[in-house]
Amino acid sequence: MELLDGIGKLSGVGPKRVALLSQLGIVTLFDLLMYFPRAYIDQMTVTPFSRLSAGMEATVSGVVASVRERRSGPGGRLAVLTAYLSDGTGYLAMTWFNQPFLKKKLDAGRRIFATGRVDYAYGGHGGLAMTQMSAFEILEDGEGAPRGGMLPVYATKANLNQNFFRGLMAKAFSRKPELPEVIPEGVRKRYGLMGRDQAVAAMHFPKSSGEISSARARLAFEELYLIQCGLLLLKKRTREKEQGVRHLMSGGLVQKVEASLPFRLTGGQSKAWREIAADMEKPVPMRRLVQGDVGSGKTAVALLALVKTVENGYQGALMAPTEILARQHYETFSRLLQDTEVRIGLLSGKLTAKQHEEMLAAIAAHDVDIVVGTHALIQDKVVYDELGLVVTDEQHRFGIAQRAELNRRGAKTPDVLVMTATPIPRTMTLTVYGDLDVSRIEELPPGRKPVRTFARTEERRALIYAFAKKEIEAGRQAYVVCPLIEESEEMELPSAEAIYQELSGGVFRGIPCGLVHGKLKPKEKEAVMRSFYEGKTKLLVATTVIEVGVDVPNATVMVVEHAERFGLAQLHQLRGRIGRGKYQSYCILIGGGKEGMANERLRAMERTASGFDLAEADLRLRGPGQFFGSMQHGLGDLKVANVLRDTDILLRARRAAMETMEEARDMRYVIEVLRINYRDRFGNILDA
Ligand code: ADP
Ligand code: MG
């Protein structure tokens, strides 16, 4: 078979299974080979029955001596099937519930091979039984000896069980061609990597746990190495473009705007701004990431960069992730630039067709200097007269492909500034933003009082809302955040709507309240948010639509209902909406009562203010993947590598990729590989 042949070609895979497998992303033979086990069961050591004791996890092997079937439970609804096995050293009962179909396979004399937990047999007078098998195999006639080794466990769907998968892999391997190598030979030798074909085979049919880790390491290296090569290539191609926009030294306009800011830049902001300005003054296009925790003041830095490009006769674009944020930035900028001649435009999805056309025309004619909008700003329809700088706030939709795309547009390649509050560990930054230079704003503006955070149970709700009311009466504003409730959920959780009704008609009667959630029409959402910005609405009940970037310094209270339903990253983003002004702010997390993990998270919020520390706490509490799970890092899924755990491999892969950039022959090899394997990601760099 060929690698790209459909799996329907394998015997035993009819249309039904083709459909089920495609739900797992398996369409071709290649997909199947790349469908790696999610775990392994160590069957290397088979424990004789005589050495078993209750409570042990063990792998055992024995021959069926007899089988008994009975019913139990209320109304005899539970079918209990017990096989008594012997292995020459003793006896062991093995029990299955509600799997009557197994009976016909359990003929006396059949050998069973199983891994699971050993317990005292029910009513067995001290005899032992295995009832929860994490894996078992009933060997076919003639398959005398147990297979032993490491047994792969696949992520499956109903109707596709482990044995089916294991059998399918065996068939696939008997018919597959050799997998082509994708890492240059020199690199493979230098880094001691096993061949690709061998590694894939070892993932599915490992002989030892050592072999699994070498195979995994090789495949993780492969993924990270190729992506690093792609990113470095992107960086190199960007650098080679001598026709970047060359900005001159910052002149009077930048100085005037900086002086007119209602505050002085913090040390961190100044440093980031100096680094940005220096990049902009070079003929090579800027590709810079600014990382700064929520509230660190990234907007002001972006403003100065945009003004600089305008002062040099170019246009600037600022992309926000949502309409609400785009409008907010538009208004902030309009206010801060009101004493200048700079013309700002908002390209909003809510413009009428006619207004939209007019805005596009104004942009093309250079009647607008700074355009603010969502990611639509860099789509083909928007034609700039001379685009000098693109800033993206909360990068989500601005992945590698978009960055590469900018290289291909217009006569000159614009500078790019990416701003993010996501506390990405260094290694992660390398994977996602390997083509960018990084500036960090590590401090918050002075005079900020750290938000005081309290985790409380529901019994305190009345007190909590009385407190929020007192703050509002003192002139402040407050948020109440409710979890998003899926309609399918049966749980008895009040919706944002219900909480709004309850609060606005109860404790907060007479106080202007607003409600905003994802189901509102953009216009309605807009009106509610506006009224809150303007200070007319005092209490805003919201779902997480307010998560990113909303800036109302007068808001000092945030109550989070059912805080246990939020992840730490999200809670941190939410909390970043308060503590933005000179007043002391309070974040009160109402936990749904249950003990455990969730409350651990809330405790971490009470103790910890920094996003980086919280990211680490979350890692400890929930393991990797969760914190970043919600982050769309634009890389697609890594199949094998785990950027949090495989730091060593990542750094080695990064080094290897840098070496490759210097080796013309290896580079040609890798470009070909990227062209074939990563076209969607890097296609537009490769074509350039
Ligand atoms: P973020 O980095 O989360 O985007 P913002 O740019 O929205 O943060 O800034 C948060 C708040 O801090 C805003 O109200 C802004 O006006 C204010 N701010 C920014 N820089 C300073 C500073 N140097 N001194 C005082 N306040 C500042
Ligand atoms: Mg921001």
Side-chain angles (χ1 to χ4, degrees):
M1 263 174 87
E2 297 300 319
L3 287 175
L4 295 183
D5 284 346
I7 34 164
K9 270 197 166 182
L10 289 170
S11 65
V13 185
K16 253 203 191 118
R17 281 176 167 165
V18 166
L20 284 169
L21 286 165
S22 82
Q23 285 174 31
L24 297 171
I26 304 171
V27 178
T28 63
L29 175 62
F30 181 73
D31 297 336
L32 180 65
L33 299 176
M34 290 295 150
Y35 196 78
F36 299 122
R38 66 170 168 76
Y40 299 89
I41 296 165
D42 185 353
Q43 296 189 323
M44 293 296 283
T45 6
V46 174
T47 311
F49 293 169
S50 60
R51 300 243 195 92
L52 293 174
S53 57
M56 250 172 113
E57 280 286 336
T59 294
V60 296
S61 163
V63 172
V64 177
S66 64
V67 178
R68 215 183 93 194
E69 205 181 3
R70 67 190 166 86
R71 303 215 141 251
S72 122
R77 254 175 293 162
L78 197 62
V80 187
L81 190 63
T82 305
Y84 297 92
L85 309 187
S86 135
D87 75 343
T89 71
Y91 287 88
L92 179 71
M94 207 166 269
T95 303
W96 293 268
F97 299 103
N98 282 341
Q99 300 187 53
F101 53 88
L102 281 177
K103 188 173 176 224
K104 53 183 190 305
K105 296 188 171 180
L106 289 171
D107 298 333
R110 275 283 169 87
R111 181 171 283 279
I112 295 188
F113 198 60
T115 302
R117 199 181 139 83
V118 178
D119 263 312
Y120 290 112
Y122 178 73
H125 310 291
L128 294 175
M130 193 175 266
T131 49
Q132 291 174 359
M133 279 70 78
S134 50
F136 71 91
E137 272 183 293
I138 302 167
L139 299 192
E140 300 296 323
D141 276 341
E143 256 190 298
R147 156 175 171 172
M150 304 294 293
L151 193 65
V153 181
Y154 294 91
T156 59
K157 275 207 161 341
N159 300 325
L160 294 176
N161 63 27
Q162 295 298 332
N163 281 330
F164 166 74
F165 252 93
R166 291 172 194 145
L168 190 63
M169 285 299 175
K171 274 180 222 158
F173 269 79
S174 70
R175 300 191 55 186
K176 77 167 189 48
E178 183 173 332
L179 282 169
E181 185 50 71
V182 292
I183 301 181
E185 195 182 333
V187 175
R188 230 166 52 231
K189 288 217 170 98
R190 271 202 304 285
Y191 289 86
L193 304 169
M194 67 165 79
R196 188 175 186 223
D197 193 62
Q198 191 194 350
V200 170
M203 291 295 278
H204 295 290
F205 304 99
K207 294 190 191 64
S208 66
S209 56
E211 204 184 31
I212 297 169
S213 35
S214 315
R216 250 202 93 252
R218 141 79 212 207
L219 294 166
F221 186 101
E222 171 186 318
E223 274 178 324
L224 296 169
Y225 167 78
L226 290 176
I227 289 170
Q228 287 300 315
C229 283
L231 288 168
L232 290 176
L233 187 67
L234 173 55
K235 187 170 186 167
K236 182 157 175 261
R237 295 259 158 109
T238 308
R239 287 265 148 87
E240 279 164 359
K241 292 225 165 210
E242 285 294 314
Q243 69 274 49
V245 175
R246 177 156 198 183
H247 295 89
L248 304 176
M249 305 283 280
S250 304
L253 185 60
V254 172
Q255 280 157 23
K256 177 175 166 187
V257 171
E258 183 173 352
S260 74
L261 290 175
F263 43 74
R264 294 192 44 191
L265 295 186
T266 63
Q269 282 171 313
S270 304
K271 181 155 169 289
W273 167 229
R274 277 199 308 277
E275 289 165 350
I276 293 163
D279 278 3
M280 289 177 74
E281 284 159 22
K282 288 182 197 144
V284 173
M286 168 170 76
R287 291 290 179 270
R288 185 168 286 276
L289 172 73
V290 175
Q291 266 186 313
D293 210 342
V294 285
S296 60
K298 297 183 289 295
T299 314
V301 173
L303 173 71
L304 294 177
L306 287 163
V307 169
K308 185 177 172 93
T309 209
V310 172
E311 182 161 35
N312 280 273
Y314 296 97
Q315 290 167 295
L318 173 67
M319 284 191 283
T322 65
E323 288 275 345
I324 290 180
L325 285 178
R327 174 160 288 272
Q328 176 182 289
H329 281 315
Y330 171 75
E331 282 170 8
T332 309
F333 283 14
S334 301
R335 201 171 60 239
L336 292 171
L337 296 175
Q338 63 191 358
D339 297 330
T340 69
E341 315 259 275
V342 179
R343 297 157 300 179
I344 310 179
L346 177 65
L347 191 65
S348 156
K350 271 164 301 168
L351 299 179
T352 63
K354 182 154 171 284
Q355 289 169 323
H356 195 85
E357 284 308 311
E358 281 168 6
M359 183 52 76
L360 289 180
I363 295 169
H366 207 147
D367 290 337
V368 173
D369 300 307
I370 297 178
V371 194
V372 183
T374 57
H375 63 300
L377 282 189
I378 52 154
Q379 282 166 4
D380 282 339
K381 267 198 322 195
V382 189
V383 179
Y384 295 84
D385 175 38
E386 262 195 305
L387 186 58
L389 173 69
V390 176
V391 181
T392 85
D393 191 15
E394 294 305 334
Q395 79 299 335
H396 305 331
R397 299 198 184 91
F398 197 61
I400 296 161
Q402 283 77 13
R403 300 204 284 276
E405 177 64 27
L406 281 179
N407 284 356
R408 305 205 309 169
R409 299 186 52 178
K412 290 180 181 172
T413 304
D415 285 338
V416 173
L417 188 62
V418 176
M419 305 195 293
T420 180
T422 313
I424 317 169
R426 209 189 108 71
T427 48
M428 181 89 174
T429 312
L430 279 183
T431 339
V432 189
Y433 301 113
D435 61 320
L436 303 180
D437 301 307
V438 181
S439 294
R440 289 218 168 80
I441 304 180
E442 311 224 356
E443 72 206 288
L444 295 182
R448 287 283 172 79
K449 300 189 180 67
V451 175
R452 297 177 62 184
T453 303
F454 306 91
R456 292 288 182 262
T457 55
E458 279 176 317
E459 288 92 77
R460 308 285 278 275
R461 263 184 109 227
L463 283 174
I464 291 164
Y465 282 115
F467 171 76
K469 189 175 175 201
K470 232 178 64 200
E471 280 284 302
I472 289 173
E473 283 163 357
R476 307 285 81 76
Q477 287 162 280
Y479 296 100
V480 176
V481 182
C482 312
L484 206 63
I485 299 162
E486 315 246 322
E487 302 205 350
S488 60
E489 283 188 72
E490 288 165 30
M491 229 176 298
E492 282 289 309
L493 284 182
S495 63
E497 177 85 51
I499 287 177
Y500 170 77
Q501 294 300 346
E502 177 203 330
L503 294 177
S504 60
V507 204
F508 296 95
R509 186 194 298 270
I511 292 176
C513 299
L515 169 67
V516 59
H517 54 72
K519 294 229 178 74
L520 291 186
K521 295 207 187 73
K523 249 214 181 87
E524 300 168 319
K525 211 187 292 181
E526 172 87 29
V528 179
M529 291 308 289
R530 164 166 304 278
S531 166
F532 192 70
Y533 288 137
E534 290 170 354
K536 290 183 194 141
T537 298
K538 301 298 179 188
L539 180 91
L540 184 64
V541 180
T543 53
T544 47
V545 291
I546 60 156
E547 200 177 320
V548 197
V550 172
D551 186 32
V552 180
N554 188 48
T556 57
V557 180
M558 172 170 293
V559 181
V560 182
E561 292 272 359
H562 283 280
E564 80 283 355
R565 312 226 0 168
F566 295 90
L568 267 181
Q570 222 177 2
L571 288 173
H572 180 64
Q573 273 289 350
L574 286 169
R575 183 169 61 181
R577 301 308 109 220
I578 54 173
R580 303 190 137 236
K582 51 185 186 285
Y583 310 104
Q584 175 64 56
S585 291
Y586 307 88
C587 175
I588 302 138
L589 307 170
I590 305 185
K594 269 185 261 108
E595 292 303 318
M597 288 276 283
N599 285 341
E600 270 306 312
R601 285 213 301 281
L602 304 189
R603 291 278 107 73
M605 286 293 294
E606 280 185 319
R607 280 194 308 269
T608 316
S610 114
F612 275 97
D613 295 348
L614 279 173
E616 270 179 24
D618 209 31
L619 255 179
R620 277 199 310 277
L621 292 172
R622 298 202 290 179
Q626 297 287 340
F627 197 92
F628 303 99
S630 56
M631 225 176 79
Q632 301 158 15
H633 50 51
L635 281 178
D637 287 333
L638 295 167
K639 275 196 158 72
V640 183
N642 177 319
V643 284
L644 297 172
R645 263 180 313 204
D646 295 332
T647 312
D648 284 355
I649 299 179
L650 173 60
L651 293 176
R652 280 152 46 84
R654 170 93 174 166
R655 200 172 69 215
M658 286 166 120
E659 290 160 5
T660 299
M661 300 299 295
E662 306 297 320
E663 287 262 353
R665 203 157 49 108
D666 286 358
M667 204 58 231
R668 275 199 303 278
Y669 177 100
V670 168
I671 288 176
E672 216 30 58
V673 168
L674 290 175
R675 212 189 283 286
I676 297 168
N677 297 283
Y678 288 90
R679 162 150 296 281
D680 46 337
R681 238 174 252 183
F682 294 114
N684 36 20
I685 336 171
L686 301 169
D687 298 339

